[in-house]
Amino acid sequence: MSGTNSEKERIEEGPVIVLVEPQLGENIGMVARAMANFGLAELRLVNPRDGWPNEKARSAASKADHVIDGVQVFETLEAAIADLNFVYATTARERYGFKPVRSPVTACTTLRQKFNGGERTGILFGRERWGLSNEEVALADEIVTFPVNPAFASLNIAQAVLLMSYEWMKSGMDDLSKTLFQPVEQRPATKDELFGLFDHVEEALEARGYFHPAAKKPKMVDNLRAVLSRRAFTSQEIGVIRGVVASLDRFARRYPHGQRPAEESEGQGDLQGHDQ
Amino acid sequence: MSGTNSEKERIEEGPVIVLVEPQLGENIGMVARAMANFGLAELRLVNPRDGWPNEKARSAASKADHVIDGVQVFETLEAAIADLNFVYATTARERYGFKPVRSPVTACTTLRQKFNGGERTGILFGRERWGLSNEEVALADEIVTFPVNPAFASLNIAQAVLLMSYEWMKSGMDDLSKTLFQPVEQRPATKDELFGLFDHVEEALEARGYFHPAAKKPKMVDNLRAVLSRRAFTSQEIGVIRGVVASLDRFARRYPHGQRPAEESEGQGDLQGHDQ
C-alpha cells in the first residue's frame, strides 16, 4: 500500500477505481492514463497477478505518474472497498439477482450526486479474462453495464474504465456541448458588410460583362445575392471572400501579385475603394 | 482496397472511421474492436505505415473480423473521404481557424441527424504521435474534441474511436438510461405484504419477550415498522426477509434445518401460517 495524495485531495477527485486481480501491467497503466484523461486519480488493486509496483504499468500510464504513485494494493475486495459508501460493479454479462442495473449515464449521475453529498464511491472492474465473480458483484450496491452491440459486448478493462471516467467527467458538466477550446472568435457580419460584398462582387462582374444580356441583370443580381447571403457569414468570412474577389479582380494569371506594378494591374482603378 | 459488405449495408451502419497514417497494427485492430463494440463497421486507412493486410491488426481486433475484412486503404485523405457528405476531424489541440468545435455529444447528435437524412458521414483520426495536420483538419466540416482533463488531454486513437463509437451508439437510443439486461423482474410489494411482514416479525419477537417493558411496546412497534418500511421493498424482497425471519425463528443454532424433526423445532407451532 502506498499513497502520496492526502485523503482530502483524493476525496475531491471522484470515485475510486478498483481493479480486481488484474493480470497485465500494461492494462493497469492504460487504466491509470484513462483515469488521468478524465480527472480521476485514486486507483486500487486487489491481488494484481504480477505484484506491485509494476514497471510495465508505469510505462503504459504515459506520464499519469500521480495515479501510479497513489495506487493502493489490497488482498481482498472487501478490504479494498471497506471505507466506501456506495459501489458499482461493471459487468457485460447478465447477472441473476435483485441488484439494479444502470447505464453509464445513470450510474455517473448517481455517483456525482453521492460525491456532491460527501459520500465515498467506487467502481469495480473485473479480471481481463472473465470479469467479476457473482460473489464480487454481490458486494456492490448496483450494477453498471455498457450499451454495446450484443454481438461484441466485451470491453477490455482499460476501455471500460475510460468510458466510466469519461461519463464521470461529463456528469460534472453543466453543458454537454461545452468544449475545451473554441474556434477563432467571430462576430456575425452586419448587413452593411454583406452589402459591401454585394457591391464588390457585382462591380467586378459588371466590369467584365457578366450581366449579359442587360435585361437579365436584375434576375442575375437577385440570384447572386441569394447565393452570397444564404449562409450567415461572419465578419471575418466576408473579409476572406472579399480578399479572394479582390485578388481575382486585380491580378491577371500572367502577372500575379508583386510581379507587375499595381497601377498597371487589371481593374485596379475601379476597385481601390473596396480593397481590404 | 477490399470490402465484403455491400454499399447498402455499410450505409446503414453509421459514420465511416478514417485513420490517417496509423502506425501500429495493434492500434488498428483495437480501433476495429471498439467499432464493433458499438455497432460501427466501416474502417478506412490512409497510408498505413506497415501496409495492409496486417496480421497484428486482425489479432488485436479480437474477432471483429467483419471490420478488418471490410477495411479500405487509400493513398490520400482526399480519396478516402471523396464519397462522404459530412466529416468531423478529431483533435486534442486547439486549431486556429473558423471551423466549429463540437463536443462528442453534439457531434454524434449531428452525425445521427445526417445519417437519418441519408447523408454519408465520417470521422477522421490522426497519427499516434501527432494527430492530424492543419491541412487535414481543413478538409473536415467541423472539429470534435473530448472533454478531457487539460493536463492529460491526449487519448490514443483506439480510445478516441471508442468514445466516438460509444457516443454514436448512444445517439441512437431513445432512453439513455436503457440497459441491455435488467435485474430479475420485481414488483413493488403491496401494503398487505408489508403488513404480513410486520405481523411475522412482531409475533416472533413477542414470543421471545422482545417488547419489554410492556409500556414501551407501542413505541417499539412504531420504530420497528418504521425501519421495515423505510425502503419500498419489492414483493420478492419481502419473501426473502420473511424466509430469514422464519429461519431464525424456527431453527435453533444447535438444531439447524433438517437435523431435527420440524414439529420439535422452536416456535414452529406459532408460525405455520407465515411460512413462505
Side-chain angles (χ1 to χ4, degrees), chain A residues 224-243:
Chain A
L224 185 63
R225 290 182 177 190
V227 169
L228 291 174
S229 59
R230 198 172 75 85
R231 262 194 67 202
F233 287 122
T234 65
S235 184
Q236 289 90 329
E237 287 172 315
I238 284 190
V240 170
I241 296 167
R242 292 194 62 170

Side-chain angles (χ1 to χ4, degrees), chain A residues 33 36-37 93 97-99 102-104 106 147 149 152 154 166-167 169-170 176-177 179 181 183-184 186, chain B residues 33 36-37 93 97-99 102-103 106 147 149 152 154-155 166-167 169-170 176-177 179 181 183-184 186:
Chain A
R33 177 69 197 190
N37 282 136
R93 294 196 311 278
F98 297 171
K99 277 186 207 303
R102 309 297 188 198
S103 74
T106 305
N149 174 0
F152 292 90
S154 74
Y166 167 70
E167 286 291 3
M169 170 74 92
K170 289 202 308 177
L176 290 179
S177 70
T179 55
F181 56 89
V184 172
Q186 298 202 47
Chain B
R33 176 71 197 190
N37 283 136
R93 294 197 311 277
F98 298 170
K99 277 185 206 303
R102 308 298 188 196
S103 73
T106 305
N149 174 1
F152 292 90
S154 74
L155 296 166
Y166 167 71
E167 286 292 1
M169 169 74 92
K170 289 203 307 178
L176 289 180
S177 69
T179 54
F181 57 88
V184 173
Q186 300 203 46

